[in-house]
Amino acid sequence: MSYQPSYLGVFLTFVRNSLVRDMTFRANFIIDTISSMSWMIMNLGFYVLVYQFTPNIGGWGKYQFFVFIATTMFVNSLVQAFFMPNAEELSEQVRTGGLDFALLKPIDTQFLVSLRRISWSSLGNFFVALLLLIYAVPRIEGLELSLWQVLLYPVYVLMGVLILYSVMIALAATSIWLGRNQSLYDFWFYITNFSRYPMEIYEGTWGTPLRQLFTFVIPILVVINVPARLMAKPLAWEHSWLAVFGVVATLGSLLGSRWVFKRALWSYRSASS
Amino acid sequence: MLARAETWWTILKICLEERLVYRGDFALGTLMRFLPIVTQIFLWTAVFAAAGSGLIMGFSPDDIIAYYLLTMLARAFSSMPGLASGIARQVREGEIKKFLIQPIDLISYLLLARIAHKSVYYLVAAGPFALVYYLCRSYFPGWPPLEVFAAFLLSLVLAFLLGFFLEATMGMIAFWFLEVSSLLFVYMLFTFFFSGHMFPLDFLPDPWRTFVDFMPFKYMAYFPAVVFLGKVQGTELVHGLMIQAAWVLGFIVLCRVTMQAGFNRYSGYGG
């Protein structure tokens, strides 16, 4: 008998369960939403301040940079909503031996541990980002949106989310080898910190190698830069290699992280049972 | 008197040993904390390149990098990870009862534990800090005159005390609300933005500039950094130190008062 679980059905169940759970503590939910929003708004304030002193940063004008920040918020809110709580839980499950139960279920383990819990409050930033995008795009001088830009933007945002997910699940999987990876979140923060700026600012003796490292080895610079450029700057053929590379990088990181995850699972020795 | 000193010494020793257990993790964590500086260097280089002017509100590109590095040091003194949330947790879970029974003063105990924690931190972090500062030495204008350096050290010590008593006071609010995590988040947001950790406060436009001058936050990161860079001098410097000390005294009193008031209404939750 071959039993094929319905991945969509299971995913929708997770979505519903998480919503019920988040809505049980409604005040907490609202505070969480507001606090993650205010964090992003403060960040925006910083750049409003910086643009008082300069017309552009690395060739990005004020409103173009707002699109960049909106893209950052889209990607981060999706990653934080869908994958962050699960990656944190994974390293805890490895330590306590709770991963046993995930391994026993007749469904792909990576799917199960990656999507079990969805943090709805993180999606608040998604709407702030949408507002920011709608505010900023018409104010960019000399930009005429084509249909391609509008269609491809969400696709590349999703690809960015998948790249970040790959980095995250690979990092979380290392906790299987290490027993526990408590500084996971810190490490994650410091790595993704590099992705939050236009790649043009990484210039010079140190900057160029750094940019190449984070474009070709760990492609986190692709995550925000490619969709943001697509939306905020006129389409130009000389940048089309970036768009192609974005697809390659996404597939590469997904396959790479899948491999790391599988390898890590082989080394899993159940704890405390 | 002697017995009391002995008690404090024992507490300090225990806390020191407790902190030394994770020294490897500590050193690595400290080094990683400098990674955002790398992106800041690139960001500000790009900003100055596009701005065309050599100075922004009196800050040269080198000044800004030096400023960020110095605020990291100041925050190493003034930031108190887990202090307020620790007090809140003890109130919520009833652990705080032991300070009502034992002849140990809660605030003094926390202060000693924090001093122990910080001493170990500086001991371990001295290496990474020296390394990064050495690598970035070209950004600094050089050693300041001796009296300015003394004022800088004093402002760091005051920043430590201000951070401690401010955050302890925040923690005492838990006696009234039990769960203060959202309040602490707002506090964290304020310190991050208005302490000058994110950018030199001179960059703020006017209503905000005046606002931060009347807030205690700027003494936790901005003030020590600009003292070192020689941007506040003479009577301005003396006044600054006096206001900083006044904030410290104010929060010492406020912290005591809220603790006493909190103890009076405390009803021993938890097991």
Side-chain angles (χ1 to χ4, degrees), chain A residues 31 35 39 42 53 56 190 193, chain B residues 33 36 39 50-51 185 189 193:
Chain A
I31 289 168
S35 50
W39 186 248
M42 283 229 161
F53 305 108
N56 71 72
Y190 292 126
N193 185 41
Chain B
R33 221 167 283 177
T39 46
F185 186 83
L189 220 56
F193 211 68

Side-chain angles (χ1 to χ4, degrees), chain A residues 31 35-36 38-39 42-43 45-47 49-50 52-58 65 183 186-187 189-191 193-194 197 201-203 206-207 210, chain B residues 25 29 32-33 35-40 42-44 46-47 50-51 53 56-57 68 182 185 188-190 192-194 198-199 202-205:
Chain A
I31 289 168
S35 50
S36 65
S38 46
W39 186 248
M42 283 229 161
N43 202 21
F46 171 68
Y47 286 106
L49 208 62
V50 170
Q52 287 194 317
F53 305 108
T54 179
N56 71 72
I57 298 176
F65 200 79
S183 47
D186 290 347
F187 195 69
F189 176 80
Y190 292 126
I191 285 248
N193 185 41
F194 283 94
Y197 301 90
I201 70 166
Y202 301 106
E203 277 296 344
W206 290 94
L210 204 66
Chain B
D25 192 42
M32 286 219 296
R33 221 167 283 177
L35 277 179
I37 290 277
V38 177
T39 46
Q40 287 294 347
F42 285 113
L43 178 72
W44 285 100
V47 168
S53 67
I56 294 179
M57 303 304 265
Y68 275 115
S182 47
F185 186 83
M188 191 191 78
L189 220 56
F190 265 68
F192 196 71
F193 211 68
F194 294 122
M198 213 170 171
F199 53 85
D202 306 74
F203 289 8
L204 281 171

Side-chain angles (χ1 to χ4, degrees), chain A:
Chain A
M1 186 188 82
S2 91
Y3 172 72
Q4 196 62 41
S6 153
Y7 281 87
L8 185 67
V10 173
F11 175 66
L12 289 177
T13 313
F14 288 153
V15 169
R16 204 173 44 240
N17 285 351
S18 308
L19 188 62
V20 168
R21 188 169 149 175
D22 275 356
M23 284 303 132
T24 317
F25 307 101
R26 210 160 300 175
N28 182 62
F29 172 79
I30 292 168
I31 289 168
D32 270 359
T33 314
I34 293 175
S35 50
S36 65
M37 276 185 194
S38 46
W39 186 248
M40 282 320 290
I41 288 166
M42 283 229 161
N43 202 21
L44 197 63
F46 171 68
Y47 286 106
V48 171
L49 208 62
V50 170
Y51 272 102
Q52 287 194 317
F53 305 108
T54 179
N56 71 72
I57 298 176
W60 292 71
K62 184 176 174 183
Y63 294 109
Q64 287 176 322
F65 200 79
F66 279 7
V67 172
F68 193 93
I69 296 173
T71 313
T72 314
M73 287 164 82
F74 277 130
V75 172
N76 280 346
S77 69
L78 288 173
V79 169
Q80 275 163 14
F82 289 100
F83 303 120
M84 184 71 96
N86 297 298
E88 275 170 357
E89 210 172 297
L90 176 62
S91 67
E92 201 52 29
Q93 278 180 338
V94 169
R95 195 179 63 85
T96 56
L99 193 61
D100 295 6
F101 300 104
L103 289 171
L104 287 173
K105 301 230 163 60
I107 198 164
D108 184 73
T109 309
Q110 192 179 349
F111 169 82
L112 187 67
V113 298
S114 304
L115 284 166
R116 178 148 36 190
R117 168 130 172 68
I118 288 139
S119 152
W120 282 86
S121 57
S122 303
L123 286 175
N125 271 344
F126 191 89
F127 296 101
V128 180
L130 204 60
L131 289 179
L132 186 61
L133 193 71
I134 293 169
Y135 169 78
V137 168
R139 285 175 175 74
I140 300 174
E141 275 175 51
L143 178 78
E144 278 185 46
L145 274 188
S146 68
L147 187 64
W148 280 111
Q149 285 172 287
V150 180
L151 286 180
L152 281 178
Y153 179 73
V155 176
Y156 276 95
V157 166
L158 276 184
M159 284 196 211
V161 171
L162 289 177
I163 292 175
L164 283 190
Y165 161 71
S166 308
V167 177
M168 181 182 276
I169 198 77
L171 272 177
T174 58
S175 55
I176 296 178
W177 283 307
L178 300 174
R180 183 178 206 182
N181 195 349
Q182 253 195 331
S183 47
L184 178 73
Y185 185 81
D186 290 347
F187 195 69
W188 166 253
F189 176 80
Y190 292 126
I191 285 248
T192 55
N193 185 41
F194 283 94
S195 73
R196 264 171 249 163
Y197 301 90
M199 58 204 293
E200 287 87 350
I201 70 166
Y202 301 106
E203 277 296 344
T205 23
W206 290 94
T208 313
L210 204 66
R211 187 178 66 214
Q212 279 159 353
L213 169 74
F214 284 129
T215 310
F216 298 112
V217 184
I218 311 171
I220 49 166
L221 273 182
V222 178
V223 172
I224 318 257
N225 272 278
V226 176
R229 169 179 293 279
L230 189 77
M231 193 59 151
K233 301 203 169 185
L235 287 180
W237 277 113
E238 70 255 33
H239 291 304
S240 54
W241 72 271
L242 258 180
V244 176
F245 180 71
V247 180
V248 176
T250 312
L251 290 176
S253 4
L254 277 178
L255 289 174
S257 65
R258 175 88 182 160
W259 182 77
V260 170
F261 186 80
K262 289 254 169 187
R263 279 296 300 268
L265 270 194
W266 278 112
S267 322
Y268 176 64
R269 287 164 301 155
S270 179
S272 54
S273 51

Side-chain angles (χ1 to χ4, degrees), chain B residues 78 80 156-168 187 215-220 243-244 246-249 251:
Chain B
S78 68
M80 303 284 151
L156 283 182
V157 173
L158 287 173
F160 167 78
L161 292 173
L162 180 59
F164 177 83
F165 285 104
L166 212 171
E167 192 154 315
Y187 166 76
M215 287 278 141
F217 304 114
K218 76 167 192 177
Y219 296 98
M220 292 159 77
I243 299 173
Q244 195 182 12
W247 276 115
V248 172
L249 278 178
F251 276 107

Side-chain angles (χ1 to χ4, degrees), chain B:
Chain B
M1 191 63 209
L2 191 69
R4 175 171 254 201
E6 219 166 278
T7 318
W8 293 133
W9 177 241
T10 314
I11 293 174
L12 192 67
K13 242 177 16 195
I14 292 172
C15 295
L16 273 174
E17 275 158 20
E18 199 178 63
R19 300 307 311 186
L20 272 171
V21 178
Y22 306 105
R23 54 190 175 273
D25 192 42
F26 247 9
L28 199 67
T30 316
L31 210 54
M32 286 219 296
R33 221 167 283 177
F34 284 102
L35 277 179
I37 290 277
V38 177
T39 46
Q40 287 294 347
I41 293 179
F42 285 113
L43 178 72
W44 285 100
T45 311
V47 168
F48 273 98
S53 67
L55 288 179
I56 294 179
M57 303 304 265
F59 278 78
S60 71
D62 284 359
D63 278 350
I64 296 220
I65 307 304
Y67 175 85
Y68 275 115
L69 289 166
L70 286 166
T71 52
M72 302 259 331
L73 186 63
R75 288 299 287 155
F77 278 84
S78 68
S79 79
M80 303 284 151
L83 176 60
S85 54
I87 296 175
R89 202 199 63 242
Q90 288 194 329
V91 172
R92 204 168 52 238
E93 291 174 1
E95 214 183 299
I96 208 125
K97 281 197 284 280
K98 74 177 178 212
F99 292 101
L100 289 169
I101 302 162
Q102 292 168 1
I104 293 176
D105 175 49
L106 170 65
I107 296 178
S108 315
Y109 173 79
L110 289 173
L111 184 62
L112 271 177
R114 199 44 69 157
I115 290 173
H117 171 175
K118 287 280 179 191
S119 322
V120 174
Y121 177 76
Y122 301 140
L123 213 65
V124 181
F129 262 95
L131 179 69
V132 172
Y133 276 42
Y134 178 74
L135 290 176
C136 297
R137 64 192 179 283
S138 61
Y139 294 112
F140 286 94
W143 290 100
L146 198 63
E147 65 273 15
V148 174
F149 191 71
F152 170 67
L153 290 182
L154 180 62
S155 72
L156 283 182
V157 173
L158 287 173
F160 167 78
L161 292 173
L162 180 59
F164 177 83
F165 285 104
L166 212 171
E167 192 154 315
T169 311
M170 300 294 293
M172 298 302 172
I173 297 176
F175 280 114
W176 285 265
F177 293 111
L178 284 188
E179 184 52 71
V180 287
S181 55
S182 47
L183 195 74
L184 291 182
F185 186 83
V186 173
Y187 166 76
M188 191 191 78
L189 220 56
F190 265 68
T191 40
F192 196 71
F193 211 68
F194 294 122
S195 70
H197 190 52
M198 213 170 171
F199 53 85
L201 294 175
D202 306 74
F203 289 8
L204 281 171
D206 208 8
W208 295 101
R209 186 70 240 268
T210 328
F211 171 74
V212 293
D213 275 337
F214 285 105
M215 287 278 141
F217 304 114
K218 76 167 192 177
Y219 296 98
M220 292 159 77
Y222 169 81
F223 186 68
V226 287
V227 166
F228 188 92
L229 290 175
K231 293 196 181 295
V232 220
Q233 282 172 334
T235 45
E236 218 187 325
L237 174 58
V238 178
H239 283 165
L241 284 172
M242 277 159 70
I243 299 173
Q244 195 182 12
W247 276 115
V248 172
L249 278 178
F251 276 107
I252 288 177
V253 174
L254 196 62
C255 186
R256 275 266 147 226
V257 171
T258 41
M259 184 186 74
Q260 284 308 332
F263 278 163
N264 284 340
R265 54 166 285 139
Y266 179 65
S267 40
Y269 322 94

